[in-house]
Amino acid sequence: MGSPSGPPFDPDDPDRERRERDTEPIPRVGPDDGPGYGAGAGLSDGPSLSDDVGYGDGPGYAGQGRSGRGWVRDPEASDQPPQISEDELAGLRADATGSTPRRVLPLEDEPSSLVARYLFPTERYRGEWKRHWIHLTTPLLIGIAATFVLGYLSGFLAGQNVGALTTIAVLLWFAVMGWVAWKVADWWYDRFILTNKRVMVVNGIITRRVAMMPLVRVTDMKYEQTPTGRALNYGTFVLESAGQEQALREIKNLPNPNELYLRVVEEMYEPQAVEARLGKEADEAKADDGA
């Protein structure tokens, strides 16, 4: 009988246990013991264990993709800005009945003929405002007082047979009322104008005065309301520009000062929002006309 192949048994051999483990026969398993060992390895039939099991192509975790044996983060899976759905925006708009309150009132579509001549073609018109009727308080009070006083005086002088003085009193009344009419006309032609590029004040009947300030030059803006102004909804606007004295600095007796303040500030800081809102309103108007 020949000796067994291999090196002689050495109890102190450090590689002895490794060789015994490598040469130990693999036990056979039955078909019910589970998949994972192929018949090519001398075991029962079943799916073979591929070298690429667990590393094949296919979807991985959210935001990651697999390539080969390693996990590689998808460069397109970076953080994206939140998307706001149309349903979420619906609550910020007013419907056709106006059930949802608006913070900014609708704009006029076109400038008046008085204002249009001062706008250049690439300028976007945002609105124009006359001064509050409180601006006419002094002329109207003078006209009312002159009517009572001069009317009483002319009647008294007529009873005294002083025709010349009566004529003077009547002419004086006409002069006062002419001055009041002039002030009313001047109020009518006095406009505060807002565009996407500047604010303007146009006034004067015979001598026209046009003052303007670019929106990009406005460094500070505020409005003031007295108790009477809060009750009657008017105020005074003060515009500052780089600490310099400007022709357009203080504008008194403007109506709806909070509304006007919001409109100017929005035009200064969120012009894209204004354009988007106006475009939406135009589309809705066209849809209503088509219906």
Side-chain angles (χ1 to χ4, degrees):
M1 178 180 296
S3 60
S5 61
F9 176 77
D10 184 1
D12 297 329
D13 186 0
D15 296 332
R16 179 175 59 83
E17 293 182 0
R18 180 180 60 79
R19 287 197 302 270
E20 291 178 353
R21 185 174 62 252
D22 293 343
T23 58
E24 183 179 354
I26 300 176
R28 298 181 64 85
V29 295
D32 297 333
D33 291 338
Y37 300 94
L43 304 177
S44 63
D45 295 338
S48 61
L49 181 62
S50 171
D51 290 340
D52 292 335
V53 170
Y55 301 98
D57 294 337
Y61 295 111
Q64 293 180 337
R66 291 188 291 182
S67 175
R69 295 175 179 268
W71 292 88
V72 180
R73 178 171 293 276
D74 187 356
E76 298 181 356
S78 58
D79 294 337
Q80 300 294 329
Q83 301 296 326
I84 302 176
S85 65
E86 191 67 21
D87 294 338
E88 292 174 317
L89 292 174
L92 302 178
R93 304 191 186 100
D95 56 15
T97 61
S99 60
T100 302
R102 301 176 63 96
R103 295 187 62 188
V104 180
L105 298 177
L107 288 168
E108 296 85 357
D109 294 332
E110 298 292 336
S112 64
S113 58
L114 175 66
V115 172
R117 69 186 69 179
Y118 302 108
L119 306 179
F120 52 89
T122 59
E123 199 169 17
R124 302 289 183 88
Y125 169 79
R126 299 304 190 213
E128 60 185 85
W129 294 263
K130 294 190 295 290
R131 296 182 191 261
H132 194 270
W133 59 264
I134 200 70
H135 193 68
L136 296 174
T137 301
T138 300
L140 292 178
L141 290 177
I142 291 176
I144 294 172
T147 299
F148 281 101
V149 172
L150 294 177
Y152 174 80
L153 182 61
S154 61
F156 174 77
L157 294 175
Q160 300 297 323
N161 296 322
V162 213
L165 294 179
T166 303
T167 302
I168 292 175
V170 172
L171 292 177
L172 184 60
W173 180 83
F174 274 110
V176 172
M177 297 310 295
W179 176 80
V180 172
W182 179 272
K183 287 296 185 180
V184 172
D186 185 65
W187 167 82
W188 176 262
Y189 287 104
D190 190 350
R191 304 293 174 92
F192 176 84
I193 306 162
L194 174 64
T195 72
N196 66 327
K197 298 182 181 295
R198 54 182 172 159
V199 291
M200 304 171 60
V201 170
V202 178
N203 56 20
I205 300 176
I206 298 177
T207 301
R208 300 292 287 168
R209 293 177 295 274
V210 180
M212 59 85 72
M213 181 183 295
L215 289 177
V216 295
R217 295 284 303 277
V218 176
T219 58
D220 187 25
M221 182 182 69
K222 64 180 179 179
Y223 73 90
E224 302 171 352
Q225 282 186 290
T226 62
T228 305
R230 295 179 64 184
L232 300 178
N233 196 21
Y234 71 91
T236 298
F237 271 74
V238 179
L239 302 176
E240 299 288 348
S241 177
Q244 300 176 0
E245 190 70 21
Q246 300 290 332
L248 182 61
R249 184 179 183 276
E250 187 176 84
I251 311 159
K252 297 182 178 180
N253 302 329
L254 286 176
N256 301 320
N258 188 68
E259 160 72 16
L260 185 54
Y261 177 83
L262 288 176
R263 194 177 296 283
V264 175
V265 170
E266 185 182 31
E267 196 64 52
M268 291 170 58
Y269 296 104
E270 295 291 342
Q272 296 85 358
V274 179
E275 295 291 343
R277 187 177 72 252
L278 294 181
K280 182 70 176 179
E281 292 175 356
D283 293 341
E284 292 176 353
K286 291 180 180 178
D288 293 340
D289 294 340

